[in-house]
Amino acid sequence: MVLVVSGSGRIDPKTRKPLPEGIRYRADRNKYQVRVWATGLNGEDRERSYLVATLAEAKRLRGEARMQVRPEGGMTLNAWHARHWALLVEGVRPATAAAYERGWRLRVQPWLGHRRIESIGVGDIDTAVAGWTGSASTRNDALALLSRLMEGAARAGVIGVNPVRLARRPRQERRSSVRSRALTLSEVTAMLEFVQSGPYRDYLAGLVYTGMRAGEASALRVGDVDLAHGVIHVSRSFSPAGGGKVREQSPKSNKERTVPLPAALRPIIARRVDGLPRNALVFTGPSGGRLNTSNVRRAVDWEAVKMLLDRPDLRIHDLRHTLATLLLDAGAAVNDVKEILGHSSVQVTELYTRAREDSALRANAALDRLMGASSEEEVK
């Protein structure tokens, strides 16, 4: 930022000394003028001019102006959002863009949209988050959107740092363990026998025996199936794109992978791909339409499935948890299960192990030995 003044009015009429650079005296107004030139957000030169009564006030204003990198700091968060929204959601998954849109419309905009960007501090953000409705997850989505907006402002020099980095994150609700959500083999059998034979049962079997996400199974094509080697290549997924439309994209975290095609599933897949071209979808509805969790839940009466299994909170996604648990219980290596499930880290996969249960069993054995020894000594 550069402060510029004209040649006239550079002498202070009160002290008869030269005025600091960036300040001049306006005799016609009997005031001191500070003019600020800087680069605006679009790269153009912008000027702001201030008239104040005293030299001390002019110096203070000049100092504040030097601290502010861009005069466009007066832009509201509403205006910044309107200018940068398209760039912000470019390249993100449709589900993420939808979460950002809801976060802005329902939470960020009503609380902070009218505020000037540089006036929003950590305390303002904490107050807003505390007042937002919704689960910790939805509030964190809104906070993530706000962080991206403020990060862009920081990179543009509108603000010094992104205040969202210091804000308190809502704590996630305590959830049941992923192991407890998984079905047992007998429950898997009961579920599949309950669902009427046809495309929906085939789809649920595909989920539970491969560990694919619902969108990955819906996007599976004939060319992805390798019956000869007993594997399936997961390289795409369907994701909601709004308005009832879907978008085909890479799997979550862009992790293409290969999953097993066990004997229990192989005849189902062989029947479904028989005679179809390579690009045809493997799992479709009775009329050939795309499958998603909503239409599958309706078609199979998911509420009845939950009642049958006495699992009131069972989700279709829990079928993925089921495969991870079954593989680890069968002795599969954690690294292998990580690759099959497409987890981002081994730590995620280890949530499915029986490590804690095994610790309790070993502790039981140790206590039994100790107490048994003590009892024998008492008898003696």
Side-chain angles (χ1 to χ4, degrees):
M1 175 176 289
V2 179
L3 299 177
V4 182
V5 297
S6 60
S8 60
R10 291 302 310 276
I11 302 298
D12 185 0
K14 298 178 181 178
T15 64
R16 309 306 302 171
K17 294 180 179 180
L19 290 167
E21 183 179 356
I23 301 175
R24 72 186 181 102
Y25 179 73
R26 289 281 301 272
D28 59 329
R29 305 288 294 273
N30 193 28
K31 289 182 182 293
Y32 295 90
Q33 182 182 40
V34 180
R35 294 172 60 204
V36 181
W37 286 88
T39 304
L41 294 178
N42 292 325
E44 78 284 6
D45 287 338
R46 298 290 301 273
E47 175 190 357
R48 283 186 176 182
S49 180
Y50 307 90
L51 291 171
V52 294
T54 67
L55 180 58
E57 190 175 358
K59 289 179 177 179
R60 179 186 60 79
L61 190 59
R62 182 189 64 158
E64 291 177 354
R66 283 176 170 168
M67 292 296 293
Q68 183 178 324
V69 179
R70 296 177 185 265
E72 287 269 48
M75 176 178 284
T76 65
L77 190 62
N78 276 333
W80 183 264
H81 170 270
R83 178 174 291 186
H84 294 282
W85 171 252
L87 182 63
L88 188 147
V89 297
E90 183 180 4
V92 305
R93 292 175 176 271
T96 303
Y100 283 170
E101 190 280 328
R102 289 192 300 271
W104 170 259
R105 176 170 46 85
L106 300 177
R107 295 172 182 87
V108 178
Q109 196 277 334
W111 281 81
L112 299 169
H114 64 286
R115 295 281 298 275
R116 290 181 295 113
I117 296 173
E118 80 276 16
S119 73
I120 300 173
V122 178
D124 302 307
I125 296 169
D126 285 341
T127 300
V129 173
W132 291 345
T133 59
S135 66
S137 177
T138 56
R139 285 180 287 151
N140 274 319
D141 286 342
L143 197 58
L145 164 69
L146 178 59
S147 183
R148 294 195 65 176
L149 288 169
M150 299 301 279
E151 192 67 32
R155 287 198 304 269
V158 176
I159 54 178
V161 294
N162 175 7
V164 182
R165 294 183 180 181
L166 301 177
R168 295 186 181 91
R169 262 64 177 175
R171 291 186 177 182
Q172 296 288 349
E173 300 87 347
R174 190 176 184 85
R175 297 178 179 176
S176 57
S177 71
V178 288
R179 278 198 66 89
S180 68
R181 302 197 66 91
L183 299 180
T184 64
L185 275 177
S186 60
E187 288 174 327
V188 169
T189 302
M191 176 192 69
L192 294 179
E193 289 180 348
F194 176 81
V195 176
Q196 183 179 356
S197 177
Y200 299 110
R201 180 199 283 181
D202 293 347
Y203 180 72
L204 293 177
L207 294 178
V208 77
Y209 289 131
T210 67
M212 287 188 289
R213 300 176 180 90
E216 294 168 346
S218 299
L220 185 68
R221 299 188 184 276
V222 173
D224 301 324
V225 177
D226 186 346
L227 286 170
H229 293 91
V231 294
I232 291 173
H233 303 291
V234 181
S235 60
R236 57 179 64 84
S237 178
F238 283 150
S239 178
K245 299 179 180 179
V246 297
R247 185 172 78 176
E248 185 176 298
Q249 58 190 17
S250 61
K252 187 176 180 180
S253 303
N254 297 314
K255 289 181 71 69
E256 296 188 11
R257 63 193 193 279
T258 301
V259 300
L261 180 51
L265 181 63
R266 194 171 302 190
I268 295 174
I269 296 296
R271 169 170 46 80
R272 296 206 64 85
V273 303
D274 185 38
L276 294 179
R278 285 183 54 82
N279 204 41
L281 294 175
V282 174
F283 296 110
T284 59
S287 301
R290 294 191 186 95
L291 293 179
N292 57 55
T293 53
S294 295
N295 58 35
V296 171
R297 281 196 300 266
R298 287 194 301 269
V300 304
D301 193 354
W302 193 250
E303 291 301 316
V305 172
K306 293 193 292 185
M307 290 181 61
L308 170 74
L309 301 177
D310 193 20
R311 296 281 194 132
D313 59 347
L314 183 67
R315 307 164 303 172
I316 287 181
H317 187 72
D318 293 329
L319 302 183
R320 174 172 161 82
H321 298 325
T322 297
L323 180 76
T325 301
L326 294 176
L327 286 173
L328 289 167
D329 288 351
V334 172
N335 278 332
D336 289 341
V337 178
K338 170 185 175 293
E339 294 304 316
I340 291 170
L341 273 292
H343 287 155
S344 57
S345 68
V346 171
Q347 287 74 21
V348 175
T349 309
E350 286 178 340
L351 295 174
Y352 296 88
T353 67
R354 289 189 182 273
R356 293 181 180 177
E357 293 179 28
D358 291 344
S359 297
L361 293 174
R362 287 192 296 272
N364 267 340
L367 286 171
D368 289 343
R369 287 194 299 271
L370 174 64
M371 292 177 180
S374 298
S375 298
E376 289 176 3
E377 290 179 1
E378 290 178 3
V379 171
K380 292 178 182 179

